Amino acid sequence: MDDAHRPAIRYVVAGGGTAGWIAAAVLARFLAPSSATVTLVESEEIGIIGVGEATVPLIAQLNALLGIHEPDFVAATNGTFKLGIEFVDWGSIGNRHFHGFGDFGEDIAGLPVHQYWLRLNGSTAAPPLAPLDEWAMPWAAASRDRFAPNAAMKGEAAQFRYAYHFDAALYAAYLRRVAESAGVTRIEGRIHAVGRDGESGLLTHLALETGQKVEGDIFIDCTGFASLLLGKTLGVPFKDWSYWLPCDSAAAVPSTRAGRLTPFTRSTAKSAGWQWRIPLQSRTGNGHVFASRFISDDEAVAQLLDGIDGEPLAAPRILRFTPGHRERFWEGNVIGIGLASGFLEPLESTAIQLIQTGVARIVELLPDARPEPALIAEYNRQTTLEYERIRDFILAHYCRTRRDEPLWREAASLELPETLKHKLACWDASGRIPLYELESHQEPSWASILIGQEAWPKRYNPRAGVPPEEQLRTMLEQRRARLAEAAERMPAHDHFISRTCASDTASAATA
Ligand SMILES: Cc1cc2nc3c(=O)[nH]c(=O)nc-3n(C[C@H](O)[C@H](O)[C@H](O)COP(=O)(O)OP(=O)(O)OC[C@H]3O[C@@H](n4cnc5c(N)ncnc54)[C@H](O)[C@@H]3O)c2cc1C
């Protein structure tokens, strides 16, 4: 059959949280209306999870793809800008370091800057160097509460990226408008049964409590932790990573905005987990991610409330999760996206990134309504690798700790996945990190976490010992000074927002 006579493919997206609306919006934008229809079913009564307020820079690509205008989007979602994550008390109590969206400068003689920093830092002949973070533009700006987009900067001061913090409920509503204007049909209703073809087992329709039947060819399961299609209907097993990632709960609470808007997320390690602080224009988002084996809900809530810097705006809400993922993300004619397919804890804000890359893979590997087994296998292979890489990176934050509480003692004695064991062995031997296929985090990110936590390698690469020490020190100090000067010229983050993308709600709330 030629393309002109092929019937339009009916995509049905089950669920209207961040995952559902991103999937629907991207499919509708990418597929010609003559070749596909996109219908999304969601239940207002069930609602969305409503957390997920910090992102990574990949989101800029999604925004560009969907034609989203940044100031409009930031204003509509009560958003702020994010240059990275400040880690407090990780590794040991009193430790503070920054994982920014940028590197430490151009390689010198083919070696990354952190190698030279390790050499000078180990030298006893001169005063200690400033923390490695100061050689990266994100921290130069973030430590001064400054922000300007990299496109507004020049040369080495432009060598960084940024992401956003936003209100998850406003974000889902914003994406809904984008998706509906791209042609997505939304149906309100609770799915109570799923129709399947007796022979092939493929899904045929969703049956709603209203009596409506929503028929489709390809079903995208975005039903959150319920995993209604991939998990409950198809029974795809869940690969549980609790051994490596012990946190299984979170207590979340919004609080009144306090002080200046920081252009970064803060993550503070606690006795049995860690606490996030996410600044929005109108309020601050706070949450305590914890391992329920080591602390009760009441204690976790008490620690959370103790660690917030404004007044709580609601009663803390407890959420439960199991870290891991479905053994297959795509089975038959069902593809799971978002929490329906898996979840790692939110330490590096990677869940929305995984939604984005999952949807991008659908567009790449699903040319028509007849999924090919080879392409399904490829989708599952790539997505599994991406999850494993992120798991290893998150685990690297935990496993080199020197904290002395039960959670941290256990984390330091875990039998690590072989992939991570190898990476850390290479780090220990020479301060380098080998990268594999489908890494989300490059070498500067690993160096930032490991050096930040003072997980020193036994030695640096001997080639870093070649340049004369004084010459090297001067060169590095000059870069640090140039970045600091460039950061001083940036506007304050607050001012940048109030000038370019202030939200109406935030102005009303603070008036
Ligand atoms: C504690 C915590 C903190 C997090 N922090 C971050 C973060 O900082 N950054 C980040 O990127 N991610 C974060 N995440 C993950 C993020 O929240 C999710 O990845 C994101 O919100 C997507 O959720 P979702 O759309 O998959 O599910 P949900 O938001 O739960 O949406 C599920 C949808 O399915 C619908 N649905 C379910 N059952 C039915 C039914 N029977 N009939 C009809 N509709 C149904 C619901 O109504 C809803 O519309 C965090 C998660 C947790 C648990």
Side-chain angles (χ1 to χ4, degrees):
M1 193 188 298
D2 63 37
D3 282 352
H5 296 97
R6 242 182 243 279
I9 304 168
R10 297 162 303 169
Y11 290 90
V12 174
V13 178
T18 302
W21 284 114
I22 289 180
V26 171
L27 291 175
R29 282 272 166 166
F30 256 93
L31 307 167
S34 56
S35 66
T37 61
V38 183
T39 306
L40 182 145
V41 180
E42 71 171 323
S43 158
E44 258 171 36
E45 192 193 338
I46 296 174
I48 65 169
I49 189 158
V51 279
E53 304 191 317
T55 58
V56 295
L58 194 70
I59 196 169
Q61 283 179 25
L62 176 71
N63 287 357
L65 195 81
L66 296 177
I68 287 175
H69 178 56
E70 181 176 271
D72 178 47
F73 155 72
V74 175
T77 59
N78 244 323
T80 62
F81 295 89
K82 173 179 170 188
L83 290 164
I85 305 174
E86 183 187 35
F87 289 94
V88 179
D89 294 340
W90 284 81
S92 59
I93 293 174
N95 178 292
R96 216 170 246 270
H97 63 277
F98 194 70
H99 174 207
F101 299 136
D103 59 26
F104 303 106
E106 302 226 324
D107 286 2
I108 304 170
L111 275 186
V113 171
H114 75 260
Q115 290 282 355
Y116 297 94
W117 185 93
L118 284 169
R119 172 193 160 190
L120 294 183
N121 196 52
S123 161
T124 48
L129 280 184
L132 179 65
D133 301 336
E134 297 197 15
W135 275 268
M137 194 57 204
W139 182 238
S143 57
R144 296 169 170 82
D145 288 339
R146 307 263 175 173
F147 178 78
N150 46 343
M153 306 299 288
K154 287 204 177 77
E156 63 189 352
Q159 301 299 312
F160 69 94
R161 295 181 302 155
Y162 62 92
Y164 311 96
H165 304 115
F166 48 61
D167 179 315
L170 296 176
Y171 184 56
Y174 187 87
L175 286 171
R176 175 179 165 183
R177 290 197 291 279
V178 172
E180 287 184 324
S181 70
V184 174
T185 305
R186 174 187 180 276
I187 297 176
E188 168 64 32
R190 189 186 268 258
I191 304 159
H192 85 106
V194 177
R196 293 178 74 177
D197 181 82
E199 232 169 80
S200 65
L202 293 178
L203 266 60
T204 51
H205 66 271
L206 306 180
L208 309 190
E209 279 181 353
T210 54
Q212 189 173 357
K213 254 185 177 183
V214 184
E215 296 186 335
D217 301 307
I218 301 287
F219 292 80
I220 316 287
D221 186 354
C222 299
T223 55
F225 286 134
S227 193
L228 212 58
L229 310 185
L230 203 57
K232 292 213 173 80
T233 305
L234 299 184
V236 176
F238 190 83
K239 201 179 268 179
D240 183 336
W241 280 342
S242 306
Y243 171 75
W244 289 308
L245 301 173
C247 291
D248 59 358
S249 307
V253 70
S255 61
T256 53
R257 181 179 150 178
R260 293 164 71 172
L261 283 181
T262 52
F264 56 87
T265 305
R266 181 173 296 129
S267 161
T268 306
K270 299 278 178 184
S271 62
W274 58 275
Q275 178 156 345
W276 78 72
R277 179 187 183 279
I278 295 179
L280 301 184
Q281 291 189 39
S282 60
R283 62 170 172 81
T284 304
N286 310 279
H288 182 184
V289 176
F290 60 94
S292 62
R293 276 187 294 130
F294 297 112
I295 190 171
S296 69
D297 289 358
D298 288 349
E299 283 174 284
V301 166
Q303 281 193 9
L304 168 70
L305 294 175
D306 206 35
I308 65 177
D309 52 16
E311 291 304 315
L313 290 166
R317 186 162 67 107
I318 302 280
L319 299 129
R320 307 277 180 213
F321 55 86
T322 307
H325 64 84
R326 295 275 152 202
E327 280 180 14
R328 292 174 300 285
F329 298 88
W330 180 346
E331 174 101 328
N333 61 344
V334 174
I335 305 161
I337 295 286
L339 300 174
S341 62
F343 181 57
L344 304 172
E345 59 151 277
L347 185 59
E348 284 283 350
S349 324
T350 40
I352 296 174
Q353 167 195 327
L354 284 163
I355 291 172
Q356 245 186 278
T357 51
V359 177
R361 239 169 247 140
I362 296 178
V363 171
E364 190 192 325
L365 295 172
L366 188 58
D368 60 32
R370 287 158 305 175
E372 296 286 342
L375 298 180
I376 296 179
E378 181 56 13
Y379 184 96
N380 288 329
R381 185 188 78 85
Q382 289 187 20
T383 312
T384 304
L385 281 183
E386 193 182 5
Y387 264 78
E388 288 175 355
R389 304 290 181 249
I390 294 174
R391 174 204 63 200
D392 285 0
F393 186 59
I394 293 175
L395 189 44
H397 295 59
Y398 281 87
C399 67
R400 288 295 169 100
T401 181
R402 296 172 306 288
R403 286 187 64 131
D404 193 22
E405 291 116 334
L407 167 81
W408 301 102
R409 283 199 298 272
E410 183 180 286
S413 64
L414 290 175
E415 182 62 30
L416 301 177
E418 287 304 320
T419 40
L420 178 60
K421 225 192 254 180
H422 176 64
K423 274 197 168 90
L424 293 177
C426 292
W427 173 261
D428 291 341
S430 71
R432 69 167 300 245
I433 287 285
L435 296 174
Y436 306 132
E437 184 190 358
L438 283 157
E439 295 276 5
S440 297
H441 299 92
Q442 306 305 309
E443 196 171 7
S445 292
W446 288 84
S448 159
I449 297 302
L450 293 169
I451 290 178
Q453 289 198 15
E454 300 178 9
W456 308 117
K458 286 195 208 82
R459 56 194 154 100
Y460 51 82
N461 186 313
R463 285 195 291 131
V466 173
E469 178 163 337
E470 253 333 288
Q471 185 190 332
L472 188 59
R473 192 173 280 272
T474 308
M475 197 166 90
L476 291 190
E477 287 300 357
Q478 283 173 348
R479 172 180 160 89
R480 188 166 79 96
R482 286 194 304 271
L483 296 188
E485 274 169 35
E488 289 293 345
R489 289 195 300 274
M490 285 177 159
H493 182 220
D494 289 22
H495 292 163
F496 183 81
I497 287 177
S498 56
R499 245 188 23 231
T500 61
C501 48
S503 107
D504 293 344
T505 340
S507 320
T510 50

